[in-house]
């Protein structure tokens, strides 16, 4: 049976090792065998999590989809941006920091930068 290293899995799926570790700890993907590596079957699971996270689904929404077999409808990135803008306008600094940490924890760096930080930067400059 062919197996892959974490680096190979990240190259194949376009994810970051920290995201793979976070998803395994959250139970969204099965842990790999440190002796043999990642199995081919796990690549599909990782791709599904990558795609759902890229669409703006939270780790909890992905877990619901996996356990109940149905995708919970999420407003995705537009909802996150709207909540972030609301926090900037009306929320406290503490609530804003908590929200930013949660988004940073739930999503990979590229998604976080492209869907949250860049639009925020653009909004602040306007």
């Amino acid at each position: 049976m062919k197996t892959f290293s974490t680096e190979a899995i990240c190259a194949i799926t376009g994810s970051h090792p920290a995201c793979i570790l976070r998803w395994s700890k959250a139970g969204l993907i099965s842990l790999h065998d440190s002796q043999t590596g990642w199995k081919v079957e796990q690549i599909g699971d990782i791709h599904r999590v990558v795609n759902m996270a890229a669409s703006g689904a939270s780790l909890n929404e992905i877990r619901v989809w996996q356990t109940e077999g149905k995708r919970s409808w999420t407003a995705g990135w537009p909802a996150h941006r709207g909540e972030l803008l609301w926090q900037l306008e009306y929320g406290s600094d503490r609530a804003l920091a908590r929200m930013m940490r949660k988004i940073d924890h739930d999503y990979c760096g590229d998604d976080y930068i492209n869907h949250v930080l860049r639009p925020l930067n653009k909004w602040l400059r306007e």
Side-chain angles (χ1 to χ4, degrees):
M1 176 183 285
K2 186 167 177 127
T3 60
F4 300 90
S5 68
T6 298
E7 292 78 24
I9 287 294
C10 290
I12 292 168
T13 61
S15 58
H16 190 273
C19 291
I20 298 284
L21 179 61
R22 189 176 311 127
W23 296 335
S24 349
K25 284 182 178 181
L28 301 178
I29 55 175
S30 58
L31 293 173
H32 76 291
D33 183 347
S34 59
Q35 300 291 328
T36 60
W38 295 91
K39 296 178 183 137
V40 174
E41 299 83 33
Q42 291 173 301
I43 294 173
D45 295 336
I46 295 169
H47 269 297
R48 282 186 283 283
V49 172
V50 166
N51 290 335
M52 289 188 75
S55 73
S58 69
L59 296 183
N60 190 45
E61 290 170 329
I62 296 170
R63 188 175 301 107
V64 166
W65 172 74
Q66 288 179 330
T67 57
E68 296 180 10
K70 62 180 180 179
R71 184 172 177 166
S72 62
W73 294 102
T74 178
W77 293 113
H80 294 305
R81 284 192 299 272
E83 185 179 348
L84 181 61
L85 292 175
W86 189 93
Q87 288 292 343
L88 281 167
E89 187 77 22
Y90 305 107
S92 68
D93 290 345
R94 187 175 186 168
L96 177 63
R98 189 176 330 120
M99 182 190 168
M100 295 291 285
R101 277 192 305 274
K102 176 154 179 35
I103 292 173
D104 183 44
H105 177 267
D106 278 2
Y107 301 98
C108 284
D110 289 349
D111 293 331
Y112 181 62
I113 290 168
N114 292 328
H115 297 289
V116 176
L117 296 180
R118 282 197 176 129
L120 173 62
N121 181 34
K122 182 180 177 186
W123 179 79
L124 289 171
R125 284 185 291 151
E126 292 173 354

Short mmCIF file of all heavy atoms in Angstrom, two decimals, residues 63-88:
data_model
loop_
_atom_site.label_atom_id
_atom_site.label_comp_id
_atom_site.label_asym_id
_atom_site.label_seq_id
_atom_site.Cartn_x
_atom_site.Cartn_y
_atom_site.Cartn_z
N ARG A 63 -17.48 19.28 10.78
CA ARG A 63 -17.73 18.13 11.64
C ARG A 63 -19.18 17.67 11.53
O ARG A 63 -19.46 16.48 11.44
CB ARG A 63 -17.39 18.47 13.09
CG ARG A 63 -17.42 17.28 14.02
CD ARG A 63 -16.96 17.61 15.44
NE ARG A 63 -15.61 18.12 15.46
CZ ARG A 63 -15.28 19.41 15.68
NH1 ARG A 63 -16.22 20.31 15.90
NH2 ARG A 63 -14.02 19.81 15.69
N VAL A 64 -20.12 18.61 11.51
CA VAL A 64 -21.54 18.27 11.36
C VAL A 64 -21.76 17.56 10.02
O VAL A 64 -22.46 16.55 9.96
CB VAL A 64 -22.43 19.53 11.47
CG1 VAL A 64 -23.84 19.26 10.99
CG2 VAL A 64 -22.43 20.05 12.89
N TRP A 65 -21.15 18.07 8.97
CA TRP A 65 -21.30 17.46 7.65
C TRP A 65 -20.77 16.03 7.67
O TRP A 65 -21.39 15.13 7.11
CB TRP A 65 -20.56 18.30 6.61
CG TRP A 65 -20.50 17.66 5.27
CD1 TRP A 65 -21.52 17.53 4.38
CD2 TRP A 65 -19.37 17.04 4.67
NE1 TRP A 65 -21.10 16.87 3.25
CE2 TRP A 65 -19.77 16.56 3.40
CE3 TRP A 65 -18.05 16.84 5.07
CZ2 TRP A 65 -18.91 15.90 2.55
CZ3 TRP A 65 -17.19 16.19 4.21
CH2 TRP A 65 -17.61 15.73 2.97
N GLN A 66 -19.64 15.83 8.33
CA GLN A 66 -19.05 14.49 8.36
C GLN A 66 -19.86 13.52 9.22
O GLN A 66 -20.02 12.36 8.85
CB GLN A 66 -17.62 14.54 8.89
CG GLN A 66 -16.66 15.16 7.91
CD GLN A 66 -15.24 15.24 8.46
OE1 GLN A 66 -15.03 15.38 9.66
NE2 GLN A 66 -14.27 15.17 7.57
N THR A 67 -20.36 13.97 10.36
CA THR A 67 -21.06 13.06 11.27
C THR A 67 -22.51 12.82 10.86
O THR A 67 -23.01 11.72 11.00
CB THR A 67 -21.02 13.57 12.72
OG1 THR A 67 -21.60 14.87 12.77
CG2 THR A 67 -19.61 13.60 13.25
N GLU A 68 -23.17 13.84 10.35
CA GLU A 68 -24.58 13.70 10.00
C GLU A 68 -24.81 13.43 8.52
O GLU A 68 -25.93 13.17 8.11
CB GLU A 68 -25.35 14.95 10.43
CG GLU A 68 -25.35 15.16 11.93
CD GLU A 68 -26.11 16.40 12.35
OE1 GLU A 68 -26.81 17.01 11.50
OE2 GLU A 68 -25.99 16.78 13.52
N GLY A 69 -23.76 13.51 7.74
CA GLY A 69 -23.87 13.22 6.32
C GLY A 69 -24.58 14.29 5.51
O GLY A 69 -24.93 14.08 4.36
N LYS A 70 -24.79 15.45 6.11
CA LYS A 70 -25.41 16.53 5.37
C LYS A 70 -24.59 17.80 5.58
O LYS A 70 -24.05 18.03 6.66
CB LYS A 70 -26.86 16.75 5.81
CG LYS A 70 -27.02 17.14 7.25
CD LYS A 70 -28.47 17.35 7.60
CE LYS A 70 -28.57 17.73 9.07
NZ LYS A 70 -29.91 17.97 9.48
N ARG A 71 -24.52 18.56 4.56
CA ARG A 71 -23.77 19.80 4.65
C ARG A 71 -24.64 20.86 5.28
O ARG A 71 -25.75 21.11 4.84
CB ARG A 71 -23.32 20.24 3.25
CG ARG A 71 -22.47 21.47 3.30
CD ARG A 71 -21.89 21.77 1.96
NE ARG A 71 -21.14 23.01 2.06
CZ ARG A 71 -20.31 23.44 1.17
NH1 ARG A 71 -20.11 22.74 0.09
NH2 ARG A 71 -19.68 24.57 1.33
N SER A 72 -24.12 21.46 6.34
CA SER A 72 -24.87 22.56 6.94
C SER A 72 -24.60 23.79 6.09
O SER A 72 -23.48 24.05 5.69
CB SER A 72 -24.43 22.78 8.39
OG SER A 72 -23.07 23.12 8.45
N TRP A 73 -25.64 24.51 5.79
CA TRP A 73 -25.49 25.66 4.92
C TRP A 73 -24.87 26.81 5.70
O TRP A 73 -25.36 27.22 6.73
CB TRP A 73 -26.84 26.07 4.34
CG TRP A 73 -27.34 25.00 3.44
CD1 TRP A 73 -28.29 24.07 3.72
CD2 TRP A 73 -26.88 24.72 2.13
NE1 TRP A 73 -28.45 23.23 2.66
CE2 TRP A 73 -27.60 23.60 1.67
CE3 TRP A 73 -25.93 25.28 1.29
CZ2 TRP A 73 -27.40 23.05 0.41
CZ3 TRP A 73 -25.73 24.73 0.04
CH2 TRP A 73 -26.46 23.63 -0.38
N THR A 74 -23.79 27.29 5.18
CA THR A 74 -23.09 28.39 5.81
C THR A 74 -23.07 29.57 4.85
O THR A 74 -23.06 29.39 3.65
CB THR A 74 -21.66 27.98 6.18
OG1 THR A 74 -21.00 29.11 6.75
CG2 THR A 74 -20.85 27.52 4.99
N ALA A 75 -23.05 30.74 5.42
CA ALA A 75 -22.93 31.93 4.58
C ALA A 75 -21.48 32.15 4.19
O ALA A 75 -21.18 32.99 3.37
CB ALA A 75 -23.49 33.13 5.31
N GLY A 76 -20.57 31.39 4.79
CA GLY A 76 -19.17 31.41 4.41
C GLY A 76 -18.47 32.73 4.65
O GLY A 76 -18.73 33.45 5.61
N TRP A 77 -17.58 33.05 3.74
CA TRP A 77 -16.73 34.23 3.90
C TRP A 77 -17.50 35.54 3.96
O TRP A 77 -17.15 36.41 4.75
CB TRP A 77 -15.66 34.26 2.80
CG TRP A 77 -14.70 33.13 2.96
CD1 TRP A 77 -14.53 32.07 2.12
CD2 TRP A 77 -13.78 32.92 4.04
NE1 TRP A 77 -13.58 31.22 2.62
CE2 TRP A 77 -13.09 31.73 3.79
CE3 TRP A 77 -13.48 33.63 5.20
CZ2 TRP A 77 -12.12 31.23 4.64
CZ3 TRP A 77 -12.51 33.14 6.05
CH2 TRP A 77 -11.85 31.95 5.77
N PRO A 78 -18.55 35.72 3.16
CA PRO A 78 -19.30 36.98 3.30
C PRO A 78 -19.84 37.20 4.71
O PRO A 78 -19.81 38.32 5.22
CB PRO A 78 -20.43 36.84 2.27
CG PRO A 78 -19.88 35.91 1.24
CD PRO A 78 -19.04 34.93 2.02
N ALA A 79 -20.28 36.13 5.36
CA ALA A 79 -20.77 36.26 6.73
C ALA A 79 -19.64 36.62 7.68
O ALA A 79 -19.80 37.46 8.57
CB ALA A 79 -21.43 34.96 7.18
N HIS A 80 -18.48 35.99 7.50
CA HIS A 80 -17.33 36.31 8.34
C HIS A 80 -16.91 37.77 8.16
O HIS A 80 -16.62 38.47 9.13
CB HIS A 80 -16.14 35.40 8.03
CG HIS A 80 -16.37 33.97 8.38
ND1 HIS A 80 -16.75 33.54 9.63
CD2 HIS A 80 -16.26 32.86 7.62
CE1 HIS A 80 -16.87 32.23 9.63
NE2 HIS A 80 -16.58 31.79 8.42
N ARG A 81 -16.88 38.22 6.91
CA ARG A 81 -16.50 39.62 6.66
C ARG A 81 -17.53 40.58 7.27
O ARG A 81 -17.17 41.59 7.86
CB ARG A 81 -16.35 39.87 5.16
CG ARG A 81 -15.07 39.31 4.59
CD ARG A 81 -14.80 39.80 3.19
NE ARG A 81 -15.84 39.41 2.24
CZ ARG A 81 -15.85 38.26 1.56
NH1 ARG A 81 -14.91 37.39 1.71
NH2 ARG A 81 -16.83 38.01 0.73
N GLY A 82 -18.81 40.26 7.13
CA GLY A 82 -19.85 41.10 7.70
C GLY A 82 -19.74 41.18 9.22
O GLY A 82 -19.85 42.26 9.81
N GLU A 83 -19.48 40.04 9.85
CA GLU A 83 -19.33 40.03 11.30
C GLU A 83 -18.08 40.81 11.72
O GLU A 83 -18.11 41.55 12.71
CB GLU A 83 -19.24 38.59 11.80
CG GLU A 83 -19.21 38.49 13.31
CD GLU A 83 -19.14 37.06 13.80
OE1 GLU A 83 -19.36 36.12 13.01
OE2 GLU A 83 -18.88 36.89 15.00
N LEU A 84 -17.03 40.66 10.95
CA LEU A 84 -15.80 41.39 11.24
C LEU A 84 -16.01 42.90 11.12
O LEU A 84 -15.60 43.67 11.98
CB LEU A 84 -14.69 40.94 10.30
CG LEU A 84 -13.33 41.59 10.48
CD1 LEU A 84 -12.77 41.30 11.86
CD2 LEU A 84 -12.38 41.10 9.41
N LEU A 85 -16.69 43.33 10.08
CA LEU A 85 -16.97 44.75 9.91
C LEU A 85 -17.87 45.27 11.03
O LEU A 85 -17.68 46.38 11.52
CB LEU A 85 -17.61 45.01 8.54
CG LEU A 85 -16.68 44.78 7.34
CD1 LEU A 85 -17.45 44.94 6.05
CD2 LEU A 85 -15.49 45.71 7.39
N TRP A 86 -18.84 44.45 11.45
CA TRP A 86 -19.70 44.85 12.55
C TRP A 86 -18.86 45.03 13.83
O TRP A 86 -19.02 45.99 14.57
CB TRP A 86 -20.80 43.83 12.79
CG TRP A 86 -21.82 44.31 13.77
CD1 TRP A 86 -22.98 44.97 13.50
CD2 TRP A 86 -21.75 44.19 15.20
NE1 TRP A 86 -23.63 45.27 14.68
CE2 TRP A 86 -22.90 44.80 15.74
CE3 TRP A 86 -20.84 43.64 16.07
CZ2 TRP A 86 -23.16 44.87 17.09
CZ3 TRP A 86 -21.09 43.71 17.44
CH2 TRP A 86 -22.24 44.32 17.93
N GLN A 87 -17.95 44.06 14.08
CA GLN A 87 -17.09 44.15 15.26
C GLN A 87 -16.20 45.39 15.21
O GLN A 87 -15.99 46.04 16.23
CB GLN A 87 -16.20 42.90 15.39
CG GLN A 87 -16.94 41.66 15.82
CD GLN A 87 -17.45 41.73 17.24
OE1 GLN A 87 -17.04 42.55 18.05
NE2 GLN A 87 -18.39 40.86 17.55
N LEU A 88 -15.71 45.72 14.03
CA LEU A 88 -14.87 46.92 13.89
C LEU A 88 -15.67 48.18 14.19
O LEU A 88 -15.16 49.11 14.81
CB LEU A 88 -14.28 47.01 12.48
CG LEU A 88 -13.08 46.12 12.21
CD1 LEU A 88 -12.80 46.08 10.72
CD2 LEU A 88 -11.86 46.61 12.97
#
